[in-house]
Amino acid sequence: MDYEFHWNIVFQNMPELLNGAFVTLHVSVLAMFLGVVIAILLAIAKMNNSKPFCYVATVWVEVARNTPALFQIYMAYFGLGAFGIHLSPYVAVLSALVFINAGYLTETFRGGFQSIPATQYSASKSLGMTSIQAYRYIILPQMLRRIYHPMTNQFVWSILMSSLGILVGMSELSGTTQRLQSLSFRTLEFFIVAAVMYFVITKLVLFTSSLLARRLFKGEI
Amino acid sequence: MISVQNVHKSFGDLEVLKGVSLDVEKGEVVSVIGGSGSGKSTLLYCINAIETINSGKILVDGVDVHAKETNKDKLRQKLGMVFQQWNSFPHMTVLENAALAPRIVKKMSRDEAMEIAKKELEHVGLGDKLDVYPTKMSGGQQQRLAIARALAMKPDYMLLDEVTSALDPELVGEVLDTLRLLAEEGMTMICVTHEMGFARDVSDRVAYFHQGVIAEIGEARQVITDPQNPLTQKFLSKVR
Ligand SMILES: Nc1ncnc2c1ncn2[C@@H]1O[C@H](COP(=O)(O)OP(=O)(O)OP(=O)(O)O)[C@@H](O)[C@H]1O
Ligand SMILES: [Mg+2]
């Protein structure tokens, strides 16, 4: 192999890379949080069959799940720009990720909810529980167990997908890496280090999530 | 006392209960037998206000179950119910299953609820399973858990809907034994059942349901061994 590795320049730029990694994590956490909130509303809309809401939810879910993330980020950044709505790269990527997360999680939540047998509800009611108690103690805890892993996966996916920020000049981990390598021409070194950082971030997320799961769900999952 | 008075109940166009009347005294055990789809489960659900009724009246200790002003959650505390398909709460241990409702519905302290739950679990022979998760248990054990869970609310009545019919044959006995024990202790029960031996030996009276009406009702041994109505005779000759 002829390529000579020079790592020094990468380490000199470590603070910037770490800053990029922080932005990556930041945008993914926010996209996840907003995605969950919207997905809960969309899932309720879909299950209630209330016509206009159900329609909006269905279109949202179908578009989010059946078009490329790249396209959605472009739409948020360039597409809306054409209509005079200029989003910063950060907000454009955030909106696209929220859009996709909400789309996927809607189906996750709906499936999770429907997987709880109706008899769990009638059993709760027969013990004198109010509807709110039945949801609080019986339905939602079981649902949470079933959607927990799909949610974790969605979060990891968002982290990795936020790297598309590179295309609209966002300074998350990939964008930062891109800029630094083009200044120094140490392309391979920078991208290897960035890949390792992505790997470490997602592994940390998965590890924390399974620790949390063990604390939250002591019983059968 | 549970008093069912000329109750009619339809699902859409299908009339499932066509004028059912039944009085069950305190301390009495009444078994309900009858063909599939004759409305047995529906009657229990109506007594427990899980289903509404179209006309007639159901009184529990004089309280009109279906009246608007009746607090149904409160009323259900009096009526323990066990379903055909065991439905233990899979995310809680056996002890937590039985202690939950006393704690959150009756607002007992944690210790008090645990105490009562433990006692009822021992009662049904699950004293050694307190910290087990229900999914690790057999159907018969889960069904006994469902009985203990209902008993922990100290109900005045128990409504049992074919609690053995989803069980493997070798597990039926242990659950029936538990019900027999309750009957001996004087619990008031309405048991929908396909176990004719149980109906004959344990209950005071047996009601035969046919297409939404009680076609025959009488003293248990008499209805099972010497039915008067030809419909009952036909049904019993088939299930034997
Ligand atoms: N929620 C419902 N909606 C519509 N129809 C129902 C509903 N519940 C019960 N039915 C119908 O009402 C009739 C009586 O049902 P029910 O469950 O009371 O019968 P059953 O006597 O308990 O029968 P089985 O021995 O099979 O349990 C059946 O034809 C059933 O299909
Ligand atoms: Mg039934």
Side-chain angles (χ1 to χ4, degrees):
Chain A
M1 210 163 78
D2 299 337
Y3 193 89
E4 241 186 84
F5 284 95
H6 293 279
W7 298 103
N8 244 349
I9 181 85
V10 180
F11 291 120
Q12 280 162 24
N13 285 294
M14 205 34 114
E16 271 203 70
L17 284 174
L18 286 174
N19 192 50
F22 176 74
V23 175
T24 289
L25 204 56
H26 193 272
V27 77
S28 316
V29 168
L30 203 55
M32 192 65 193
F33 176 75
L34 295 173
V36 166
V37 171
I38 294 173
I40 291 172
L41 298 176
L42 291 178
I44 292 172
K46 267 196 108 166
M47 288 188 296
N48 274 351
N49 280 327
S50 52
K51 272 280 143 44
F53 294 115
C54 183
Y55 186 72
V56 169
T58 305
V59 171
W60 186 315
V61 169
E62 291 303 317
V63 174
R65 283 162 45 113
N66 297 297
T67 55
L70 170 67
F71 170 81
Q72 286 153 6
I73 291 176
Y74 270 20
M75 285 306 279
Y77 191 68
F78 301 112
L80 291 180
F83 292 101
I85 305 170
H86 297 284
L87 303 181
S88 71
Y90 181 94
V91 175
V93 170
L94 175 65
S95 331
L97 291 181
V98 167
F99 180 73
I100 305 169
N101 281 344
Y104 275 92
L105 291 172
T106 297
E107 290 302 273
T108 304
F109 291 174
R110 199 166 66 105
F113 186 80
Q114 286 173 346
S115 72
I116 311 296
T119 51
Q120 289 282 308
Y121 181 76
S122 25
S124 312
K125 292 296 282 182
S126 79
L127 289 166
M129 290 187 214
T130 62
S131 297
I132 292 174
Q133 288 174 327
Y135 278 96
R136 157 81 179 77
Y137 292 99
I138 306 301
I139 310 290
L140 292 180
Q142 289 186 64
M143 184 181 151
L144 187 61
R145 283 165 164 74
R146 291 181 201 198
I147 62 176
Y148 190 80
H149 290 300
M151 267 172 73
T152 308
N153 289 340
Q154 189 66 31
F155 185 39
V156 167
W157 179 94
S158 303
I159 292 170
L160 298 179
M161 221 31 105
S162 69
S163 62
L164 287 173
I166 199 172
L167 297 165
V168 292
M170 180 184 176
S171 356
E172 36 66 69
L173 181 52
S174 295
T176 307
T177 308
Q178 164 75 357
R179 190 170 50 76
L180 293 174
Q181 69 84 21
S182 71
L183 292 175
S184 64
F185 299 106
R186 303 317 308 176
T187 309
L188 207 48
E189 288 89 335
F190 271 106
F191 275 104
I192 288 173
V193 169
V196 169
M197 289 172 85
Y198 275 113
F199 188 86
V200 171
I201 293 173
T202 56
K203 276 294 167 197
L204 272 178
V205 166
L206 288 170
F207 179 71
T208 316
S209 144
S210 66
L211 269 191
L212 198 64
R214 228 171 296 161
R215 272 200 63 97
L216 282 175
F217 315 136
K218 277 171 251 137
E220 286 296 301
I221 301 213
Chain B
M1 171 171 155
I2 296 179
S3 178
V4 179
Q5 301 172 0
N6 196 24
V7 165
H8 289 256
K9 162 76 184 169
S10 304
F11 292 110
D13 290 339
L14 178 71
E15 190 171 33
V16 178
L17 300 180
K18 303 170 184 166
V20 173
S21 298
L22 173 69
D23 284 346
V24 179
E25 299 289 343
K26 231 17 203 309
E28 202 181 12
V29 178
V30 174
S31 285
V32 176
I33 61 172
S36 187
S38 57
K40 308 181 298 293
S41 301
T42 305
L43 176 68
L44 293 192
Y45 293 157
C46 289
I47 294 175
N48 209 359
I50 291 174
E51 288 287 356
T52 55
I53 61 177
N54 297 90
S55 65
K57 209 181 225 181
I58 299 178
L59 303 177
V60 172
D61 295 338
V63 175
D64 185 345
V65 174
H66 294 273
K68 255 210 182 70
E69 62 274 16
T70 302
N71 181 341
K72 306 197 170 52
D73 294 326
K74 183 116 199 167
L75 183 93
R76 289 192 192 102
Q77 297 180 29
K78 277 190 177 189
L79 299 160
M81 178 136 187
V82 183
F83 301 82
Q84 175 172 358
Q85 196 56 47
W86 54 90
N87 41 29
S88 36
F89 304 135
H91 58 302
M92 298 176 176
T93 63
V94 166
L95 182 59
E96 288 164 347
N97 259 269
L100 179 68
R103 193 160 61 79
I104 66 170
V105 176
K106 287 196 160 172
K107 317 271 181 223
M108 285 181 187
S109 74
R110 211 186 141 73
D111 290 345
E112 211 180 340
M114 293 286 185
E115 190 62 32
I116 287 184
K118 217 168 120 185
K119 220 155 126 202
E120 292 304 338
L121 288 164
E122 279 159 7
H123 195 177
V124 302
L126 291 176
D128 57 338
K129 299 279 183 200
L130 302 184
D131 297 323
V132 172
Y133 281 88
T135 44
K136 297 259 189 284
M137 302 199 305
S138 74
Q141 290 170 327
Q142 292 199 49
Q143 201 56 299
R144 284 187 281 145
L145 165 59
I147 295 170
R149 189 173 68 182
L151 290 175
M153 286 298 285
K154 300 285 173 223
D156 295 323
Y157 307 91
M158 288 286 279
L159 308 174
L160 302 137
D161 189 8
E162 291 188 37
V163 297
T164 58
S165 59
L167 297 178
D168 291 339
E170 71 270 21
L171 301 176
V172 168
E174 61 185 72
V175 175
L176 291 184
D177 287 344
T178 305
L179 298 184
R180 194 167 285 137
L181 179 68
L182 291 185
E184 280 163 14
E185 291 166 355
M187 174 58 79
T188 313
M189 299 197 276
I190 302 181
C191 311
V192 172
T193 184
H194 282 170
E195 299 288 335
M196 296 308 147
F198 173 83
R200 182 192 58 215
D201 298 338
V202 178
S203 35
D204 300 304
R205 284 188 298 153
V206 169
Y208 170 62
F209 250 66
H210 183 73
Q211 297 182 354
V213 294
I214 295 182
E216 180 166 357
I217 183 163
E219 193 267 319
R221 185 161 294 274
Q222 180 258 307
V223 173
I224 300 289
T225 55
D226 182 25
Q228 302 301 303
N229 189 323
L231 291 167
T232 321
Q233 292 164 0
K234 195 161 156 226
F235 173 76
L236 285 169
S237 70
K238 263 189 298 182
V239 295
R240 282 237 176 78

